[in-house]
Amino acid sequence: MASQQQQPAGQMPQPGLQQQQHQLSQQQDFDPVHRFKMLIPQLKESLQNVMKIASLNLAHNTSIDNGIKSSDASVQRFDKSLEEFYALCDQLELCLRLAYECLSQSIDSAKHSPNLVPTATKPDTVQTESMSYAQYLGMIKSQISCAKDIHNALLECSKKIAGKGQPQGIM
């Protein structure tokens, strides 16, 4: 019994809070804007490192050219630090492209998705951009018609492709 530890009454474990924090960190990992913001300090540090190594290598090569030092001293590799810098730039470019694609999808979704329809249970929440039920039904019917047209076109194409794949009769 002495081996069992009891928690004080004010400190109850909160697995829900930990789970929410974990989900928030996962969402931030996938958010391209947040990832971009997290990579900027790394990029600054990498750029500083590239400049430092470049200046050290330039000073080292200058002293060798002037005959002050021999080339025996080891210097840091400029190409490695430059490669790290370019890798971070590529990651930032991908983050920006992904953020742009997300924004484009959001704009397209807002443009092509229906507006809200006020419900009978909450008539006071009618917004200016909401549509009437009749307008909503008309839009849904046109979407269904469009989906049927696309379905029929795909079926027709698949039949044509399947018809071309069958061998012709031997004469």
Side-chain angles (χ1 to χ4, degrees):
M1 298 272 178
S3 64
Q4 292 180 348
Q5 296 179 356
Q6 294 181 354
Q7 293 185 354
Q11 296 180 354
M12 296 294 290
Q14 297 178 348
L17 180 62
Q18 291 174 350
Q19 185 179 10
Q20 287 175 349
Q21 289 173 346
H22 180 69
Q23 287 175 349
L24 181 63
S25 71
Q26 282 183 338
Q27 286 174 347
Q28 289 173 346
D29 288 344
F30 294 120
D31 181 20
V33 175
H34 182 264
R35 179 137 172 81
F36 180 84
K37 289 178 181 179
M38 296 297 287
L39 287 173
I40 291 294
Q42 293 177 17
L43 183 71
K44 287 179 182 179
E45 183 180 321
S46 179
L47 181 60
Q48 289 173 349
N49 190 34
V50 166
M51 292 298 161
K52 183 181 86 170
I53 290 173
S55 69
L56 291 174
N57 285 350
L58 183 63
H60 179 70
N61 290 340
T62 302
S63 63
I64 290 173
D65 290 345
N66 292 335
I68 300 171
K69 289 185 179 178
S70 65
S71 62
D72 295 339
S74 65
V75 291
Q76 291 181 330
R77 301 238 348 225
F78 177 72
D79 57 341
K80 297 281 186 188
S81 62
L82 191 61
E83 185 65 32
E84 178 188 331
F85 176 75
Y86 281 141
L88 285 170
C89 287
D90 290 343
Q91 288 180 23
L92 287 170
E93 181 183 8
L94 289 174
C95 288
L96 289 175
R97 286 178 190 252
L98 181 60
Y100 178 76
E101 286 298 319
C102 290
L103 179 63
S104 296
Q105 265 189 348
S106 176
I107 290 170
D108 288 342
S109 177
K111 183 170 44 171
H112 298 295
S113 63
N115 294 332
L116 299 174
V117 177
T119 61
T121 58
K122 299 179 184 177
D124 57 335
T125 61
V126 175
Q127 298 174 354
T128 57
E129 68 268 359
S130 64
M131 59 175 55
S132 70
Y133 188 70
Q135 291 172 327
Y136 177 74
L137 283 179
M139 185 182 60
I140 295 301
K141 286 179 183 178
S142 70
Q143 288 178 349
I144 290 171
S145 172
C146 182
K148 283 181 182 178
D149 291 344
I150 292 171
H151 177 71
N152 291 336
L154 289 173
L155 281 177
E156 186 179 322
C157 287
S158 68
K159 288 177 183 177
K160 285 182 182 179
I161 292 171
K164 290 182 180 180
Q166 296 175 351
Q168 300 293 328
I170 300 175
M171 292 184 180

